[in-house]
Amino acid sequence: MSKVIIIGAGGVGGVVTHKCAQLPEVFSEIILASRNEDKCKAIAAQLDRPIRTAQVDADNVPELTALLEKEKPDLVINVALPYQDLHIMDACLAAGVDYLDTANYEPLDTAKFEYSWQWAYREKFENAGLMALLGSGFDPGATNVFTAYLAKHYFDEIHELDIIDVNGGDHGYPFATNFNPEINIREVTAECRHWENGEFVTTPAMSKKASFTCPEEVGNYNIYRMYHEELESLVVNFPTLKRAQFWMSFGESYLKHLEVLGNVGMTGIDPIDYNGQQIVPIQFLKALLPDPSTLGPRTKGKTCIGCVVKGVKDGKQKIVYLYQIKDHQDCYAEVQSQAISYTTGVPAMIGAKMMLEGKWKKPGVWNIEQFDPDPFMEDMNKYGLPWEVIELDDFNLDG
Ligand code: NDP
């Protein structure tokens, strides 16, 4: 029996709230808090059981600390934006509450996300006897756990990792992002970094493309190599990795729009002066684009996200692919959301469940692959994200 406060009432926050509400035996009390309480109330109204809502600005540490001290939850599930991570961690430390998130900290004024800022909180959490679980979404999140699961059960040593994120969904808009547009565009336009022989190698954004055929007739997609935050922790926690890459599928229309928007300066993060008013172009663009939480009813097709690992078992080379396929419309039928928010929100609920049930419980700041993957993988099958493992004879994205 535990009490959680979920912060952030966006696409992911809606799914986490639905999924936690489905498990009253674990999440006996739920409070959904966000900057705009009306959004929390709209999500609460979709549920079969009552939850409470609250208004909070998570960037205001004293305000958030006061809420946590008043409510005394067992855990804060942070599904606001990466900019809030450190503020929410500070409030958790001040109020003595465990912490979980799905995306690593990114300063508002620099499009650079990395774990260093949050890893610097290790000692503080350890000394306070509190736990912070970082990156419990899908990627990062499930993909880290997939890697740990393959390393544990299929290999003696893992050497190469390709994380492949395909979204075969179509929402019918010429350009829209499946999660927060500002975060999505900052991520996609960043330079690519991948791990090669003991160091990160930098290449221009979207400069490496490959073709990938998903299993189970999801289809064939163009995928592009890009930097993604789980690479940073995975190469530390699996030091035998010689190469680690992340790939994501993008449609022609998305890439064409992104190129034009970039060329005209609409994806910029530095404020410009417009008629005496300071405007950040990417924030203005976000205001024009469809809200990702409204894409649910119109998105059709499937996501297919997984990890291909090459390594050695009993002296023999092996290639294993672990993947999860999810249908956008099935997600909508269950929790009124598309699959991108769903595939993020379910692992956030499962990570929280692991902590509250004491299966994963250790003071300090941890990346998700540092815990036993087995109970998490079991729950993925139980709570809407069933997965498959297949051995491959050959695998090559080098073209
Ligand atoms: P949304 O923009 O849809 O939702 C974010 C929510 O946070 C909004 O309700 C917003 O409020 C709220 N919020 C923003 N700032 C504050 C603040 N200062 N105080 C309180 N609430 C605040 O984003 P998503 O739901 O798509 O994404 C949520 C998180 O999940 C992001 O960090 C994203 O990076 C991460 N993510 C992780 C993935 C993974 O696989 N690991 C995949 C997809 C997303 P308001 O409504 O007022 O704007």
Side-chain angles (χ1 to χ4, degrees):
M1 302 293 271
S2 343
K3 176 170 177 177
V4 288
I5 294 195
I6 300 165
I7 303 180
V12 179
V15 176
V16 181
T17 310
H18 270 270
K19 296 304 284 194
C20 290
Q22 288 172 9
L23 285 182
E25 63 280 21
V26 180
F27 303 95
S28 45
E29 217 183 321
I30 300 168
I31 298 169
L32 175 60
S34 197
R35 199 160 48 182
N36 175 348
E37 195 179 350
D38 286 345
K39 289 196 183 175
C40 304
K41 288 187 175 145
I43 293 169
Q46 298 169 359
L47 306 174
D48 294 332
R49 75 177 247 230
I51 64 159
R52 285 194 290 133
T53 61
Q55 195 280 327
V56 77
D57 175 2
D59 286 322
N60 183 334
V61 178
E63 185 184 314
L64 179 57
T65 305
L67 175 71
L68 298 183
E69 281 173 344
K70 183 174 123 228
E71 295 293 347
K72 300 192 179 13
D74 298 289
L75 174 68
V76 165
I77 301 177
N78 167 18
V79 279
L81 296 178
Y83 318 126
Q84 276 80 56
D85 288 2
L86 298 186
H87 293 146
I88 299 178
M89 288 174 87
D90 284 331
C92 282
L93 280 169
V97 182
D98 286 342
Y99 169 91
L100 174 151
D101 70 28
T102 67
N104 66 10
Y105 175 68
E106 182 171 348
L108 195 53
D109 54 0
T110 330
K112 182 180 179 193
F113 45 94
E114 60 178 46
Y115 280 117
S116 60
W117 291 289
Q118 289 180 282
W119 285 347
Y121 278 62
R122 276 177 185 147
E123 227 173 280
K124 286 188 202 165
F125 270 77
E126 225 173 273
N127 292 341
L130 295 174
M131 173 172 169
L133 181 66
L134 308 185
S136 190
F138 205 103
D139 42 343
T143 51
N144 304 52
V145 180
F146 287 1
T147 307
Y149 186 84
L150 290 176
K152 179 175 173 184
H153 295 287
Y154 287 82
F155 295 95
D156 295 326
E157 204 169 86
I158 64 170
H159 294 156
E160 288 184 30
L161 167 66
D162 284 285
I163 301 170
I164 302 161
D165 178 336
V166 168
N167 178 11
D170 184 4
H171 43 57
Y173 287 118
F175 186 78
T177 62
N178 292 300
F179 66 97
N180 184 283
E182 196 182 330
I183 305 297
N184 179 262
I185 291 170
R186 281 163 71 121
E187 179 177 284
V188 173
T189 52
E191 280 185 320
C192 173
R193 278 188 295 155
H194 75 280
W195 187 255
E196 188 98 47
N197 296 323
E199 60 177 0
F200 276 107
V201 177
T202 303
T203 46
M206 303 285 173
S207 55
K208 186 154 178 176
K209 174 181 174 183
S211 170
F212 181 71
T213 303
C214 298
E216 301 180 29
E217 296 174 8
V218 174
N220 185 274
Y221 294 88
N222 285 332
I223 55 174
Y224 296 80
R225 190 173 65 184
M226 57 187 275
Y227 181 66
H228 222 241
E229 64 195 61
E230 62 264 51
L231 296 179
E232 188 185 1
S233 66
L234 284 168
V235 299
V236 172
N237 292 317
F238 295 97
T240 58
L241 278 173
K242 296 183 172 69
R243 186 163 81 166
Q245 313 184 100
F246 181 94
W247 305 80
M248 194 177 269
S249 72
F250 294 101
E252 288 304 314
S253 174
Y254 178 93
L255 291 176
K256 185 179 74 187
H257 281 77
L258 195 63
E259 187 188 353
V260 174
L261 290 166
N263 284 343
V264 300
M266 279 299 287
T267 59
I269 66 170
D270 294 323
I272 57 148
D273 184 84
Y274 180 75
N275 283 349
Q277 205 183 336
Q278 293 288 301
I279 290 179
V280 177
I282 197 169
Q283 290 175 359
F284 179 68
L285 175 62
K286 175 177 184 262
L288 296 174
L289 292 175
D291 180 343
S293 63
T294 63
L295 298 178
R298 32 187 309 147
T299 307
K300 300 201 167 65
K302 291 178 178 168
T303 57
C304 172
I305 317 176
C307 299
V308 178
V309 170
K310 289 187 189 176
V312 179
K313 177 79 177 172
D314 300 328
K316 282 198 200 108
Q317 297 284 336
K318 240 172 118 168
I319 312 171
V320 187
Y321 178 34
L322 200 172
Y323 63 88
Q324 201 288 321
I325 291 173
K326 195 69 201 172
D327 185 279
H328 283 280
Q329 287 293 300
D330 287 352
C331 298
Y332 190 70
E334 185 193 333
V335 298
Q336 301 185 39
S337 146
Q338 32 80 357
I340 304 301
S341 303
Y342 188 94
T343 54
T344 308
V346 173
M349 178 281 283
I350 297 174
K353 182 170 173 284
M354 295 293 109
M355 291 171 73
L356 296 171
E357 290 177 340
K359 289 182 178 147
W360 291 359
K361 192 82 190 162
K362 223 177 341 177
V365 174
W366 305 99
N367 288 95
I368 192 166
E369 69 271 22
Q370 294 178 281
F371 291 93
D372 179 10
D374 294 356
F376 187 98
M377 293 296 281
E378 242 172 70
D379 277 359
M380 291 269 293
N381 277 330
K382 268 195 216 156
Y383 299 112
L385 295 176
W387 44 272
E388 298 288 336
V389 187
I390 48 175
E391 291 208 22
L392 306 177
D393 294 330
D394 191 26
F395 180 75
N396 186 3
L397 292 174
D398 285 330

